Structure formats: structure tokens, C-alpha cells
Amino acid sequence: MHMQVADQLPRPSKDPKGLADIGKWMCAADLVHTIHGAEQQSQAQMQQQGVTVETSRDMHDAALAAMIFSHLPPVRLSCIRSLVGPAYLGPCLHPDCKEPSCEGNRLSIMSESPLLMRISLPHHKKARKWGKAVIEFDVPSDLAQLLHTYLGAPRKALLEHHLLIGDACPYVFMDMHGRGFVAAAVLTLYWQKWLVSRGGVPMNPSMCRQVFVDERQSDSATAGPSNQGAAMVMGHSVKQWDKWYDMQYHPRLAQNAVDGMQSWRAAMLQSHTLAAPDLTLSTALHCGHVLVSDSEESQYQSCCSDSDSDIDIELD
């Protein structure tokens, strides 16, 4: 019973306004605008300055940000961190994988002309629960073009620069030392620093999932993907949106219920007006009780006898 009651109660958590007040929240539109600006700037700098370590890093960061938010429903960060590039031909790098033919979480180039890229994610949080179902989708054209550009000369420039430190990185994205974001905390700090440098706030990258769900579930949501499909790419279900990701779920339900009560109340008043009987009030002369009848012609009955003893008892 305790668990059933707990499931029905709102979880204590800050809402978007409270998080924004302490500098830990950006709305979906602001995030998309910030990331889009970084994409355009990195491409313009690459054309103007050529391939350098600096311009390559800027393009890497723009591509990473575009993978975390904007072009795709927010994929789990663990999947982004473990994503290997098309050039990697080795075995699956997932530590618990026992499938000999598994290629791991991979970004593949299916066609160069026209450009078609695909992401396959056999290793995600719900893989076992979903019967080892793979999350797989073709990359949108704008994001595919950005990734394709980055995976060429810019990524090669970064790898050559970081070969002085360690081995070549098999992952699509790498930290400032040329290593994959194996630890989640490293990606979190990297993202926060990058976002602040772009005029944003030090928001945790995992919060992008809440930002996305908050917009999709709001009363002012714009046209976009189906909730079921978006939740699948995110690696969970719409039911989990309500339970974990939609921080305004309970307040919104409560307010909608209160707003809906007003039309319900009006309907009840209208129904009563149409069906109300002709009620008349009368007071019997021998007692203080109010009796109700359906018409003035009805005979009123006293609520007590006319005897003096009864009257005395009632007065007492």
C-alpha cells in the first residue's frame, strides 16, 4: 500500500523556473539556437581559416552538442560516449558484450552520394528488457553533413595532435587529451564548460532530456516527433516521461483539473436549473421545524404530537 500511495504522489524536485533561477536550466528554444550558432560558426571558421587544431576542436564540439540536443531526440549520453566511428573495424568495445558479431554502438556511412549515415545502438540501458532490440535510425541530413565533415580532416588533425599523449581514439568524440569520454563525469564537465563559453549556463547534459520532454509535454508544444517514437530513441517509454522526466507533470495535471472543474460546475448548474422541482417552504404553527412540500395545497404534518406533554418535552 505504501508503494502504491508513493507512486501517486509528486516527487520532490525543482521545476524549470526554479532551476532557471539558480542558473541550471535553459529552455529548448534557447538550447537549439545556441547549438545551431555553434554549428554555423565552426563551419564558417573552417572555410576561412582551414583545418587547424583549434578549428577542428570547434567543429568537434559543435558536432557533439548537435548529437546531445537539437537534431535528435536526446539519446542517452552513455550511447554517445560509446559511439565508434566508421573507420573503426575492431571488436565491440562494450565491456559486457558476448556477441561475437556485435559491432558495438556505431556511426556508419551507408552512402557517400547521396550522403546517408546511420546510428546503431545495440548497447543501451533497456537492451535486455527490450529483448536485445537495437535502437537504429538514419541521421538527419544537416547533422550527417556536419558529422561527415568533422570525421574527415578535422578529426584526423585532432588525432595527430593527441598521438603525442596516447593511442588513437576509436570513438567519434574525444576529450581535450584525445581520449574517449569513458567516464560520464568527464563529459559532464566538458559540456558545461562548452555551454558556458557559448553564453549558456552550466547545465548538466543529462538535463537536456528533461528540457526536451518539458517542451513536448507542455500545452504550447510545437509540431514535432511522436512522443512514442521520441521516447524509443531516448531509450525508454512515454510512461517514464511522466514519472521521471516531465518535471511539470503533476502541477500541469492539477491545474488542468482545476480549470476543467469550471465547465463541470457550469454543467451542474445548468442541469439543476432544468430539473429543479417547485419547492415551497412552510413553518408549522405548533413547532419551529421547517417542512417542505411540492405544492401549496399539500397538507403539512407536524413533526410531533399536539399533546402538552410532547410540547413540554420538546421545549426542554
Side-chain angles (χ1 to χ4, degrees):
M1 177 63 71
H2 173 73
M3 295 300 297
Q4 292 177 348
V5 172
D7 287 341
Q8 301 302 319
L9 296 177
R11 293 184 302 110
S13 63
K14 294 184 179 295
D15 59 14
K17 183 180 183 305
L19 290 171
D21 290 341
I22 61 175
K24 296 293 185 180
W25 180 272
M26 292 177 66
C27 71
D30 288 345
L31 264 179
V32 170
H33 179 79
T34 298
I35 294 171
H36 180 65
E39 294 177 52
Q40 290 186 315
Q41 182 177 346
S42 68
Q43 292 170 334
Q45 287 178 341
M46 189 67 68
Q47 292 178 349
Q48 296 168 4
Q49 303 175 27
V51 179
T52 67
V53 174
E54 290 73 21
T55 59
S56 298
R57 177 56 65 175
D58 286 344
M59 180 160 284
H60 164 279
D61 294 349
L64 173 60
M67 279 288 297
I68 292 176
F69 197 79
S70 185
H71 294 272
L72 307 172
V75 178
R76 288 190 183 278
L77 296 177
S78 59
C79 294
I80 295 176
R81 290 189 289 110
S82 60
L83 195 68
V84 298
Y88 178 72
L89 303 177
C92 175
L93 298 177
H94 193 279
D96 299 326
C97 184
K98 298 180 181 179
E99 299 292 334
S101 60
C102 180
E103 296 183 341
N105 291 343
R106 176 175 292 273
L107 172 65
S108 304
I109 299 176
M110 311 303 294
S111 170
E112 292 279 358
S113 182
L115 178 61
L116 176 61
M117 304 184 81
R118 181 169 297 165
I119 290 178
S120 299
L121 304 172
H123 297 293
H124 53 90
K125 188 175 180 179
K126 296 293 184 179
R128 182 175 299 179
K129 187 174 182 180
W130 290 2
K132 298 183 179 181
V134 178
I135 299 176
E136 188 173 66
F137 51 86
D138 292 341
V139 180
S141 58
D142 287 349
L143 178 58
Q145 187 60 59
L146 177 64
L147 288 169
H148 188 264
T149 302
Y150 156 67
L151 289 171
R155 188 170 186 276
K156 182 180 179 181
L158 290 178
L159 289 173
E160 291 176 350
H161 175 71
H162 294 302
L163 276 177
L164 299 175
I165 302 175
D167 297 331
C169 179
Y171 300 105
V172 173
F173 302 108
M174 63 189 84
D175 64 16
M176 293 299 293
H177 301 290
R179 300 171 299 205
F181 293 101
V182 178
V186 176
L187 177 57
T188 295
L189 293 174
Y190 190 96
W191 160 270
Q192 289 176 330
K193 183 177 180 180
W194 176 85
L195 193 57
V196 170
S197 73
R198 302 296 307 183
V201 300
M203 184 180 73
N204 193 306
S206 63
M207 287 296 294
C208 290
R209 294 162 71 86
Q210 277 89 345
V211 170
F212 177 75
V213 172
D214 178 72
E215 194 282 331
R216 298 313 305 147
Q217 297 284 72
S218 69
D219 295 333
S220 59
T222 59
S226 69
N227 290 350
Q228 185 176 4
M232 186 174 296
V233 173
M234 294 171 70
H236 55 219
S237 65
V238 176
K239 184 177 181 180
Q240 287 178 284
W241 283 17
D242 300 337
K243 190 172 183 179
W244 299 109
Y245 291 93
D246 185 0
M247 292 188 292
Q248 298 193 82
Y249 175 71
H250 291 98
R252 186 172 57 252
L253 282 184
Q255 189 59 57
N256 288 343
V258 171
D259 294 343
M261 281 296 294
Q262 308 319 302
S263 58
W264 177 87
R265 178 176 178 273
M268 292 298 101
L269 290 174
Q270 180 66 20
S271 175
H272 184 271
T273 300
L274 296 176
D278 180 17
L279 299 180
T280 303
L281 299 180
S282 178
T283 304
L285 296 178
H286 57 276
C287 74
H289 290 210
V290 177
L291 302 179
V292 181
S293 71
D294 290 337
S295 65
E296 294 182 357
E297 290 77 18
S298 298
Q299 297 297 319
Y300 295 96
Q301 299 296 325
S302 173
C303 62
C304 61
S305 69
D306 293 333
S307 67
D308 292 339
S309 60
D310 286 343
I311 296 175
D312 291 339
I313 294 173
E314 182 148 12
L315 291 176
D316 290 340

